């Protein structure tokens, strides 16, 4: 039993979908029990989200344009892939209905002048409801029996719109009841990624990039032998190939290493994907749809000690917030109050660093939460600020975190030294630093402008220098 997930580029146009169909057909020959999860066509989710936001800001044109563009994009692919007139017409009716629904929703958002997280989830989840029936029809057209399933029927989540958490027991019950009979009958279910619904049926989404997570949830519920994430790169590489073209495929990673990399920006896999797989020890494999026999990465529970640093990841659009003051020394509860205030405004703290003198705490939050966080802190520490126990609460905007990840770093001296000499050589200033308690991660805050040169310099120092042991790689 295999669960396959195809990302936006793998269903981005007719050629890509034809390639995806070929991968699925070949897989089915090797293992007849297959379930598929698909993302929206590339660019579609962004288009939906941006149109809804513009509508809330009083602009109608973006959603009117998006309605036409969505229709065009999907029908153009459909015409190239679906020969049978009846199924093409059936798909066209579905597209028409959904784009009309989309325009109506955006019309209401425009009238109200407000976009709630709940409303946004209804809009942003439409992309997968357009792509899944297209992929199913394209498979049918090639003689592979497939049917599309709306995940709002099977993935049950809580009500945290925009970043909902699946509730495993009812989800597995529904997944098994709905998908197992299809799979047993030789039909491939093509399930919409990214979306779910609350117990009472209100649509939710699992967070951007969440289709990987959807696949892992289904894989766990179905007891899959492997969860395969099909994307546009040869697995997980030593760094983002858009920054380091020389980056190479990592053959094997542990769940923990993959989660750390993903958490710190390696977009190739959603950080939550590992959660459902860990307990059942289901391997997750990352492969390239456009190079199916090329190198791939497998993520398993086995810790790999060979090599020191496995990979480098980076995350942008962050702000470093500093809370500083001599009066903070030895005062209990400052850290607790700081992070309670931050949690109250629902800001995710990506990294924390405290000076050993206890005179300052700094931490990193997404830039779009920075103002809210500062307000909350100034309110929380009004008294301390007026007494000058806390001197300053201030932001450093436009920073990035670079994370260096590898279980083999544990207990190996000299890594930090090598890291800083590499950065020193390219004149990159490290603004703050933290080492994960697992010792398999060192993360650094640098100026946004230094991000690319810093990642390249670290990559050069650890992977392009033959004197240093490197992890198992394939080029
Ligand atoms: P999909 O649409 O298939 O889900 P994504 O765009 O979400 O694909 O993720 C794939 C992209 O992740 C790659 O094109 C690559 O630019 C980026 N990426 C970032 N870090 C890494 C890494 N360490 N290894 C591979 N790809 C990475
Ligand atoms: N389509 C969704 C997004 O763009 C989910 C995904 O691609 O994984 O975020
Ligand atoms: Mg993705």
């Amino acid at each position: 039993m295999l669960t396959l997930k195809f990302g936006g580029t793998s269903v981005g146009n007719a050629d890509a979908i034809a390639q995806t169909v070929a991968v699925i057909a070949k897989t089915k020959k090797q293992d007849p029990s297959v379930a598929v999860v698909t993302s929206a066509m590339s660019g579609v989710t962004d288009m939906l989200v941006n149109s809804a936001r513009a509508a809330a800001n009083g602009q109608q044109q973006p959603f009117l344009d998006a309605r036409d563009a969505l229709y065009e994009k999907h029908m153009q692919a459909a015409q190239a892939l679906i020969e049978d007139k009846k199924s093409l017409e059936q798909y066209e009716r579905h597209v028409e209905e959904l784009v009309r629904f989309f325009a109506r929703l955006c019309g209401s958002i425009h009238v109200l002048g407000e976009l709630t997280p709940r409303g946004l989830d209804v809009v942003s989840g439409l992309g997968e409801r357009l792509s899944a029936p297209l992929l199913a029809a394209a498979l049918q057209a090639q003689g592979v029996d497939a049917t599309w399933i709306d995940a709002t029927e099977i993935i049950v989540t809580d009500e945290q719109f925009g970043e909902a958490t699946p509730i495993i027991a009812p989800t597995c019950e529904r997944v098994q009841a709905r998908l197992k009979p299809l799979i047993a009958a030789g039909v491939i279910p093509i399930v919409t990624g990214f979306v779910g619904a609350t117990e009472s049926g209100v649509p939710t989404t699992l967070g951007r990039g969440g289709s990987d997570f959807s696949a892992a949830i289904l894989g766990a519920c179905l007891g899959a032998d492997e969860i395969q994430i099909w994307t546009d790169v040869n697995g997980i590489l030593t760094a983002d190939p858009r920054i380091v073209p020389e980056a190479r495929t990592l053959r094997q990673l542990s769940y923990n290493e993959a989660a750390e990399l993903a958490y710190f920006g390696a977009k190739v896999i959603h950080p939550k994907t590992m959660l459902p797989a860990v307990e059942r020890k289901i391997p997750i494999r990352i492969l390239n749809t456009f190079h199916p026999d090329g190198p791939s990465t497998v993520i398993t529970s086995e810790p790999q000690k060979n090599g020191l640093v496995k990979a480098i990841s980076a995350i942008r659009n962050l702000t470093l917030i500093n809370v500083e003051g001599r009066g903070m020394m030895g005062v209990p509860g400052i850290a607790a109050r700081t992070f309670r205030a931050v949690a109250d405004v629902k800001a995710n703290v990506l990294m924390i660093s405290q000076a050993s003198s206890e005179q300052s705490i700094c931490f990193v939050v997404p830039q779009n939460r920075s103002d809210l966080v500062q307000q909350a802190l100034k309110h929380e520490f009004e008294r301390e600020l007026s007494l000058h126990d806390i001197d300053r609460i201030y932001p450093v905007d436009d920073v990035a975190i670079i994370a260096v990840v590898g279980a083999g770093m544990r207990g190996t001296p000299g890594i930090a030294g090598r890291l800083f000499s590499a950065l020193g050589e390219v004149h990159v200033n490290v603004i703050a630093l933290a080492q994960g308690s697992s010792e398999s991660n060192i993360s650094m805050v640098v100026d946004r402008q230094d991000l690319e040169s810093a990642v390249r310099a670290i990559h050069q120092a650890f992977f392009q220098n033959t004197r240093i042991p490197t992890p198992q790689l394939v080029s």
Side-chain angles (χ1 to χ4, degrees):
M1 162 75 222
L2 298 171
T3 302
L4 278 57
K5 175 260 171 178
F6 293 86
T9 40
S10 303
V11 292
N13 55 42
D15 287 347
I17 296 175
Q19 183 60 30
T20 290
V21 166
V23 169
I24 298 173
K26 189 171 171 197
T27 306
K28 179 124 197 297
K29 282 201 185 116
Q30 288 154 0
D31 185 337
S33 302
V34 178
V36 170
V37 170
T38 183
S39 293
M41 292 177 84
S42 52
V44 166
T45 312
D46 282 343
M47 200 193 286
L48 294 166
V49 170
N50 294 340
S51 312
R53 293 217 169 109
N57 288 329
Q59 294 169 266
Q60 268 179 300
Q61 205 54 46
F63 79 74
L64 295 175
D65 292 346
R67 177 192 58 191
D68 298 344
L70 287 169
Y71 177 85
E72 276 302 311
K73 190 177 174 83
H74 290 86
M75 285 316 297
Q76 207 177 16
Q79 270 146 10
L81 293 160
I82 311 168
E83 262 176 45
D84 179 58
K85 214 163 152 254
K86 247 174 129 185
S87 21
L88 185 61
E89 275 170 15
Q90 195 183 353
Y91 182 64
E92 184 169 23
R93 277 197 299 278
H94 176 76
V95 175
E96 278 169 355
E97 194 185 313
L98 280 200
V99 298
R100 257 203 308 272
F101 178 54
F102 161 72
R104 265 208 316 277
L105 280 171
C106 287
S108 318
I109 294 165
H110 178 251
V111 170
L112 292 170
E114 193 195 6
L115 179 59
T116 60
R118 179 174 165 155
L120 181 60
D121 272 1
V122 179
V123 178
S124 65
L126 290 175
E128 276 71 8
R129 288 169 64 192
L130 288 163
S131 63
L134 175 59
L135 179 57
L139 281 157
Q140 285 294 154
Q142 294 304 314
V144 183
D145 220 350
T147 187
W148 82 281
I149 307 276
D150 190 334
T152 56
E153 293 172 28
I154 53 176
I155 295 190
V156 184
T157 73
D158 65 7
E159 297 189 353
Q160 216 195 317
F161 298 103
E163 190 80 52
T165 302
I167 305 167
I168 292 306
T171 298
C172 281
E173 219 172 88
R174 293 188 194 190
V175 166
Q176 286 166 9
R178 188 84 172 87
L179 304 193
K180 278 201 163 161
L182 288 172
I183 298 168
V187 180
I188 305 182
I190 310 292
V191 183
T192 55
F194 183 48
V195 298
T198 64
E199 198 87 57
S200 53
V202 182
T204 54
T205 62
L206 306 178
R208 291 305 305 269
S211 295
D212 302 332
F213 188 25
S214 307
I217 297 164
L218 295 194
C221 291
L222 292 168
D225 298 304
E226 190 166 275
I227 295 159
Q228 298 185 346
I229 308 291
W230 290 84
T231 182
D232 59 356
V233 279
N234 291 337
I236 300 184
L237 311 184
T238 46
D240 186 344
R242 290 182 208 187
I243 301 177
V244 184
E246 302 82 16
R248 286 167 292 167
T249 301
L250 287 153
R251 273 212 287 246
Q252 207 265 346
L253 281 174
S254 67
Y255 292 120
N256 193 26
E257 288 171 324
E260 297 258 8
L261 280 172
Y263 180 77
F264 286 111
K267 192 178 166 235
V268 61
I269 189 157
H270 190 279
K272 289 185 185 163
T273 314
M274 274 51 76
L275 296 173
V278 170
E279 204 179 315
R280 290 167 191 255
K281 293 203 166 80
I282 305 175
I284 303 171
R285 189 177 292 278
I286 294 107
L287 312 99
N288 190 341
T289 305
F290 307 99
H291 192 13
D293 300 318
S296 63
T297 302
V298 65
I299 305 169
T300 62
S301 55
E302 270 168 59
Q304 285 268 308
K305 278 295 219 169
N306 58 323
L308 304 172
V309 171
K310 282 277 183 68
I312 307 153
S313 63
I315 181 162
R316 302 173 168 83
N317 300 327
L318 304 173
T319 297
L320 179 79
I321 308 274
N322 290 276
V323 180
E324 232 176 59
R326 266 156 301 166
M328 284 164 62
M329 207 185 306
V331 178
I334 297 268
R337 283 169 62 197
T338 301
F339 294 112
R340 199 180 324 116
V342 176
D344 285 346
V345 294
K346 295 199 166 36
N348 183 20
V349 176
L350 287 116
M351 180 184 140
I352 303 169
S353 173
Q354 181 172 27
S356 51
S357 65
E358 285 187 57
Q359 289 183 20
S360 76
I361 300 176
C362 65
F363 56 93
V364 179
V365 293
Q367 196 138 304
N368 60 12
R369 280 275 176 271
S370 158
D371 287 346
L372 273 180
V373 167
Q374 289 173 68
Q375 277 164 22
L377 289 174
K378 284 182 181 152
H379 180 69
E380 174 68 36
F381 292 119
E382 216 172 337
R383 187 161 167 274
E384 286 77 4
L385 282 162
S386 69
L387 294 172
H388 294 285
D389 284 345
I390 291 178
D391 295 321
R392 291 209 292 164
I393 295 173
Y394 68 96
V396 180
D397 284 321
D398 266 327
V399 298
I401 294 181
I402 296 178
V404 175
V405 172
M409 283 159 55
R410 197 171 301 150
T412 311
I415 304 251
R418 198 186 302 161
L419 204 55
F420 296 125
S421 0
L423 293 177
E425 274 168 34
V426 289
H427 309 291
V428 169
N429 176 37
V430 176
I431 304 170
L433 180 70
Q435 178 164 35
S437 54
S438 65
E439 277 191 60
S440 59
N441 165 358
I442 297 178
S443 38
M444 290 155 286
V445 178
V446 300
D447 191 287
R448 161 70 188 91
Q449 289 191 338
D450 289 335
L451 178 119
E452 279 85 5
S453 56
V455 170
R456 283 190 205 114
I458 299 170
H459 197 271
Q460 174 91 28
F462 285 95
F463 300 112
Q464 285 152 266
N465 182 339
T466 47
R467 282 179 296 120
I468 295 165
T470 53
Q472 253 193 312
L473 296 167
V474 284
S475 33

